[in-house]
Amino acid sequence: MKSNFRYSVRVSPQMANRIVDSARSILNKFIPDIYIYTDHMKGVSSGKSPGFGLSLVAETTNGTFLSAELASNPQGQGAAVLPEDLGRNCAKLLLEEIYRGGCVDSTNQSLALLLMTLGQPDVSKVLLGPLSPYTIEFLRHLKSFFQIMFKIETKPCGEELKGGDKVLMTCVGIGFSNLSKTLK
């Protein structure tokens, strides 16, 4: 596990320790080598809204970073979240991202596809886990804004691919360039 970070703002520092303990209770079953760094802000530098959260990042053996993040609800909005529930839920989200696999986690699938779309007019490919509903809608937007379509190949999990089914996305970029950039 790569560096993980939990934070607490204008609440007891004990809240952050409760988050760490609950996240570790899930993740230590899989790997004992986990580092979770903490940051507690107080006073003027902490802003005006109390809360806490957790950001977990895992690095695969081939150098891919997969992440999951959760934060408490703002005061007066939604149900209150216990630090233990937040820690456990965030750890489960990270494990789900690891199971889904691919080169990009589900939160950033659309960013990778956008960069492929705007890239050089050459073939780009990326291997993703199952497409998130947001990514599916984002593909519709790419088609309507840039008139670009992706070739979508499903790769069933097997010997080579672990976890859930994968999707190989292929497109030819539009060669977008910044017209304001001066050439030297």
Side-chain angles (χ1 to χ4, degrees):
M1 241 337 118
K2 248 335 197 193
S3 62
N4 298 301
F5 183 71
R6 68 105 173 108
Y7 54 90
S8 59
V9 178
R10 291 191 175 261
V11 295
S12 167
Q14 190 59 32
M15 295 281 209
N17 295 333
R18 291 165 56 189
I19 294 171
V20 170
D21 291 341
S22 62
R24 281 186 180 280
S25 72
I26 301 287
L27 297 174
N28 279 340
K29 295 175 185 174
F30 299 95
I31 184 170
D33 189 21
I34 298 171
Y35 301 99
I36 300 179
Y37 302 102
T38 61
D39 189 18
H40 178 75
M41 300 296 290
K42 58 184 176 182
V44 177
S45 63
S46 67
K48 297 184 181 193
S49 300
F52 49 87
L54 177 64
S55 177
L56 297 173
V57 179
E59 182 179 9
T60 64
T61 54
N62 63 6
T64 300
F65 291 95
L66 302 170
S67 65
E69 183 171 10
L70 280 178
S72 61
N73 294 328
Q75 193 172 18
Q77 296 179 10
V81 178
L82 291 175
E84 292 83 6
D85 292 341
L86 187 134
R88 278 192 298 275
N89 291 339
C90 191
K92 289 175 184 176
L93 282 175
L94 180 65
L95 293 174
E96 183 179 328
E97 288 296 338
I98 292 169
Y99 176 78
R100 292 168 60 95
C103 297
V104 181
D105 58 39
S106 60
T107 304
N108 295 303
Q109 287 175 344
S110 57
L111 176 61
L113 298 177
L114 177 64
L115 294 174
M116 289 170 60
T117 299
L118 297 175
Q120 297 300 318
D122 198 3
V123 176
S124 298
K125 295 182 179 187
V126 66
L127 184 67
L128 304 174
L131 298 178
S132 68
Y134 180 86
T135 302
I136 293 168
E137 189 62 33
F138 189 75
L139 285 168
R140 292 182 183 119
H141 291 308
L142 289 177
K143 183 179 178 187
S144 65
F145 295 141
F146 297 107
Q147 290 75 45
I148 191 165
M149 291 184 59
F150 281 77
K151 179 180 177 187
I152 302 173
E153 295 176 66
T154 304
K155 302 282 186 180
C157 69
E159 297 263 339
E160 186 178 305
L161 301 172
K162 305 272 191 241
D165 291 343
K166 308 293 185 274
V167 180
L168 181 64
M169 304 291 289
T170 307
C171 80
V172 176
I174 64 167
F176 181 81
S177 62
N178 184 352
L179 297 177
S180 298
K181 184 177 179 182
T182 58
L183 299 174
K184 293 182 182 183

